[in-house]
Amino acid sequence: MTRRRTVLAALVLGGLVLAVAAGTWVEATAQAGLGGPQPLSVSGNDAAPGVAAAALALLAAGVAAVLVGRVGRWVVVAVLAVGAGVVAASSVGVLLDPASPAGSAAATATGVATLVGTPQTSVLVLLAVALGVLGVVLAALVAVAGGGWAGDRRHERSSAAPREASEDDPAALWDSLTRGDDAT
């Protein structure tokens, strides 16, 4: 897995998770006391707050992949794996118990956490689970096939010996002044 593909995949994955988390994950009906039933829509951000945070971690891992070398690749792999795992686990939690986030939303909206009927989950929850699994696969691919990442040596000092200044080479004279050598 090349660095460029890793960056692109992590950024796309993080963006998709953020988009999916913004949609409606759970629909329910709350008993609003004397007012009768009230329909509720619970977004992914409210149903599973960890998903949005994990999406931001995936985006950060994508940006970090541009800057890191061989050792930093393992940090990127860890962040990708943990972030994607949080997305998958939080989404599965909503799939298994949609009444919990619906009850919280009902209590916030009506003051009573009583639901009428069974809350329904949307396809976005399944999509979030799939994106989480895809992120774990991406982390595994980077761990296995990302061994060719070279570190960025652009800002490090070279180990070559500095040139000696001569009267014929003005650039060498300037370099010697930069090093603090007296050219006189």
Side-chain angles (χ1 to χ4, degrees), residues 87-164:
V87 170
S90 297
S91 303
V92 167
V94 171
L95 273 177
L96 295 176
D97 185 23
S100 179
S104 296
T108 301
T110 65
V112 179
T114 305
L115 298 175
V116 177
T118 305
Q120 301 298 316
T121 58
S122 74
V123 71
L124 293 178
V125 182
L126 292 173
L127 184 58
V129 171
L131 289 172
V133 170
L134 188 65
V136 172
V137 169
L138 174 65
L141 283 174
V142 172
V144 171
W149 290 10
D152 188 4
R153 307 280 183 207
R154 182 177 6 190
H155 301 293
E156 293 182 10
R157 283 187 175 212
S158 67
S159 60
R163 298 190 292 180
E164 290 298 320

